[in-house]
Amino acid sequence: MRHIPAFRGARSRRSHTSTHRLRRPRAVLATASVLVVGGLGLTIGITACAPSSPAVDTVGAVDFETPLAMPPLAERTVDADGTVHVDLKATSGSTSFVDGTETPTLGYNGSYLGPTIRVHRDEHFAPCLTNELSEVTTLHWHGTHLPAAADGGPHQPVEPGQQWCPEWTIDQPAATLWYHPHPHEETERQVGLGLAGMLQIEDDVEAALPLPRDYGVDDVPVVIQDARFSDEGEFQKTQDFVGTLGDTLLVNGTIGPYFEATTNVVRLRILNASPARVYNFAFDDDREFAMIASGGGLLEKPAQLDHIRLSPAERAEILVKLEPGETVTLRSNPPNLGESFQPITGSAGHDDRFDVLQLRAASELDHVGEIPETLTTIEPIDPADAVGERSFTLNGHNINDKQMKMDRIDAVATVNTTEIWNVLNEMPAPHNFHVHDVQFQVLSVDGMPPPPELAGWKDTIYLEPDVQYRIIMEFTDYADGDNPYMFHCHLLRHEDAGMMGQFLVMEPGANVPSRWVVDETPGDDDNSADAGRHQH
């Protein structure tokens, strides 16, 4: 087995120890300014750039007068060999969120958001994007295990008027994933204008369970974005450090939505498609619900919860029991952003409350079954199989003191190996962490076993400040020295500002192509013009 060079704190394969890294002053990028600060300097510098916004509270103020819009199911065509084709067009237009006002928006196959795509495990999938925008875009398949050339990151730009048609075989468990643009430095704006859609993978394990799965009837997509409107109806950006925080929620593009439930159990597939906001979803009567799936698929058994925190790009599937004739409201309470969070970079929405979606149960409800006691089997990835460990520290707009460079590779993994990544947010402000291609498992949170909602497959995780997250992942199937995958903070303004790195998955013993600068060691970007220019 090939040794992976430049690992930080590499340990014996059988070491399971979880330890904190020592803190030290770091270069902190605040909004548009670079501030080299530490301790109190961090507080002063960022506060000056990002004043705190007043708290938003819509609880009790939402009329719920509009039926929840339901994204259409994408049209599929199937070749004789079984290949599934889905055509998407990225278009610009306008959407009327409020009567009499048109808002400039972007969408897939429409003016805002995109259709829900359903595919089955083992299907060969060949989507095709036509870019009808006047700007470059990409189409990233978030949470999907696929070849790097099909990932749709910043290295697969689609020029105006051009098409991009990747293909791969779906080979991962049933899950709620999504698709969205990932152009370099333009992701926040394009996603915020509406380029997002849901990708649902089905498989035989999920199909055998007595779960609601009638799309739009008892199996409901809930795509949530927050927005702030100008007097003219346009989306406005805010200068919060975390990114734009809106004062109005759009649920599947609907303001103040209600859903008429006709079954005693409703499955909500919640996607936080907001560029920056962290939500704390609960119901207005504090009822418990059953979380059945995280972003990467089913949990082993339902987790009985009364709230769940979702940061940008995270998903959760929940089952809600209803009684005939009752009305219950899904809301977002002030989120716990971590014990070490401080509102020095702006409020980050930590005091905000929203009424999100009203569920109205019919006077007679169809019975769709009980909530299963068990859902699936998740085989734990054995830490003893890890070939090494890496450490990633997030601070300001940097990961390991570095910002994204399109020609630099920050990690080189070997196909069919396992790695442990130790991820730490050293800043008293929100960040999260997304890894392309893989679904990882959480080994520990601050040295403790993960809570039930983090015990399944994940591709994105919220990082509470000063808490170490130890995750484990396998790099399987695909090796490509020409196309990297990304890891980054999924607060999209942070991603656009350079809080992102790149990794290659290579065949054993293969050399990294000479066009890449390989720098697997953390450090300042500009310490040396020749720093890290080595090949494997």
Side-chain angles (χ1 to χ4, degrees):
M1 183 174 293
R2 184 175 74 92
H3 171 65
I4 297 181
F7 267 39
R8 302 176 64 199
R11 302 188 182 115
S12 163
R13 290 181 56 196
R14 298 192 176 273
S15 173
H16 298 182
T17 306
S18 177
T19 58
H20 282 289
R21 295 178 61 252
L22 294 177
R23 301 191 63 185
R24 59 188 178 87
R26 295 186 176 272
V28 177
L29 178 65
T31 313
S33 301
V34 178
L35 307 175
V36 181
V37 293
L40 182 61
L42 172 69
T43 303
I44 296 173
I46 297 179
T47 302
C49 291
S52 179
S53 302
V56 178
D57 190 343
T58 71
V59 170
V62 178
D63 293 332
F64 296 114
E65 295 179 336
T66 308
L68 176 68
M70 204 62 58
L73 286 172
E75 294 185 9
R76 295 164 34 116
T77 59
V78 184
D79 289 347
D81 64 0
T83 298
V84 175
H85 296 270
V86 171
D87 291 327
L88 296 173
K89 294 181 179 180
T91 62
S92 61
S94 64
T95 304
S96 179
F97 298 108
V98 180
D99 289 342
T101 303
E102 292 291 324
T103 300
T105 54
L106 303 178
Y108 296 109
N109 298 359
S111 66
Y112 182 75
L113 298 182
T116 298
I117 300 172
R118 278 189 162 177
V119 292
H120 197 278
R121 187 169 192 170
D122 296 328
E123 284 186 326
H124 193 71
F125 184 43
C128 195
L129 172 70
T130 301
N131 181 10
E132 296 185 351
L133 305 175
S134 60
E135 60 185 296
V136 173
T137 190
T138 80
L139 184 60
H140 170 51
W141 300 96
H142 184 116
T144 308
H145 175 52
L146 76 180
D151 184 55
H155 289 280
Q156 289 90 40
V158 186
E159 299 289 337
Q162 299 300 306
Q163 286 189 328
W164 183 65
C165 304
E167 57 182 276
W168 69 96
T169 298
I170 304 295
D171 188 17
Q172 61 191 102
T176 296
L177 312 177
W178 65 306
Y179 58 93
H180 63 80
H182 207 307
H184 190 42
E185 300 179 342
E186 293 291 336
T187 302
E188 180 193 30
R189 186 177 58 82
Q190 290 192 4
V191 173
L193 284 170
L195 285 177
M198 192 171 282
L199 172 67
Q200 298 178 2
I201 296 178
E202 303 168 321
D203 69 6
D204 293 341
V205 173
E206 188 274 341
L209 296 170
L211 296 174
R213 59 175 53 85
D214 190 351
Y215 184 81
V217 177
D218 54 25
D219 186 350
V220 183
V222 182
V223 182
I224 299 176
Q225 292 194 309
D226 59 329
R228 189 177 295 268
F229 293 91
S230 70
D231 293 339
E232 293 75 29
E234 295 183 346
F235 289 144
Q236 288 184 312
K237 293 182 67 174
T238 66
Q239 296 305 311
D240 299 86
F241 170 76
V242 295
T244 292
L245 296 173
D247 55 13
T248 303
L249 294 191
L250 305 175
V251 186
N252 297 350
T254 312
I255 296 176
Y258 67 86
F259 175 75
E260 293 185 339
T262 58
T263 58
N264 67 319
V265 177
V266 174
R267 180 181 189 172
L268 301 180
R269 299 181 188 240
I270 303 174
L271 160 61
N272 180 358
S274 297
R277 185 175 291 281
V278 180
Y279 296 97
N280 177 24
F281 293 110
F283 288 95
D284 60 342
D285 60 0
D286 295 324
R287 70 178 59 194
E288 287 193 342
F289 53 86
M291 179 181 173
I292 60 169
S294 56
L298 295 170
L299 303 178
E300 286 201 308
K301 60 182 181 179
Q304 294 296 324
L305 306 173
D306 59 14
H307 70 279
I308 183 169
R309 179 181 63 196
L310 294 181
S311 66
E314 289 190 286
R315 291 89 62 206
E317 297 182 35
I318 67 173
L319 299 182
V320 186
K321 284 189 173 182
L322 298 173
E323 297 294 331
E326 74 170 335
T327 297
V328 62
T329 299
L330 179 70
R331 76 175 32 150
S332 177
N333 293 318
N336 173 16
L337 300 180
E339 292 183 6
S340 297
F341 165 74
Q342 296 291 331
I344 58 176
T345 62
S347 69
H350 77 293
D351 283 333
D352 295 351
R353 300 198 305 163
F354 292 92
D355 277 343
V356 180
L357 169 65
Q358 188 178 84
L359 303 180
R360 300 177 182 176
S363 58
E364 295 184 4
L365 298 176
D366 293 335
H367 188 79
V368 295
E370 298 300 323
I371 298 174
E373 292 186 4
T374 59
L375 298 165
T376 191
T377 300
I378 298 176
E379 191 70 30
I381 304 175
D382 190 350
D385 292 335
V387 298
E389 301 193 22
R390 302 182 192 268
S391 294
F392 298 91
T393 298
L394 286 73
N395 200 320
H397 290 159
N398 300 332
I399 299 179
N400 286 350
D401 291 336
K402 296 184 292 186
Q403 291 198 308
M404 166 73 175
K405 287 187 177 180
M406 290 284 282
D407 65 345
R408 188 189 68 228
I409 299 301
D410 302 282
V412 180
T414 301
V415 70
N416 297 322
T417 65
T418 299
E419 293 186 11
I420 295 172
W421 289 12
N422 298 288
V423 188
L424 177 67
N425 172 14
E426 277 196 337
M427 189 178 188
H431 290 299
N432 69 3
F433 195 70
H434 169 51
V435 186
H436 288 208
D437 178 51
V438 302
Q439 291 288 336
F440 55 76
Q441 294 177 2
V442 182
L443 292 175
S444 63
V445 178
D446 219 19
M448 302 296 293
E453 63 269 26
L454 297 183
W457 294 106
K458 298 281 291 180
D459 55 64
T460 309
I461 190 168
Y462 179 71
L463 303 178
E464 292 189 8
D466 286 327
V467 172
Q468 187 179 71
Y469 293 79
R470 189 169 166 83
I471 61 178
I472 188 169
M473 64 201 73
E474 297 174 311
F475 302 100
T476 60
D477 301 318
Y478 307 115
D480 185 347
D482 293 319
N483 293 280
Y485 298 105
M486 307 290 127
F487 57 85
H488 57 89
C489 178
H490 216 286
L491 278 66
L492 296 182
R493 185 167 298 174
H494 296 182
E495 173 187 323
D496 287 345
M499 201 169 198
M500 181 160 59
Q502 305 185 113
F503 67 97
L504 291 173
V505 179
M506 302 289 294
E507 294 287 356
N511 292 321
V512 175
S514 60
R515 69 186 183 90
W516 297 116
V517 176
V518 180
D519 183 3
E520 296 183 273
T521 59
D524 296 332
D525 270 336
D526 299 320
N527 280 349
S528 169
D530 297 320
R533 294 181 181 271
H534 61 273
Q535 307 299 321
H536 299 301

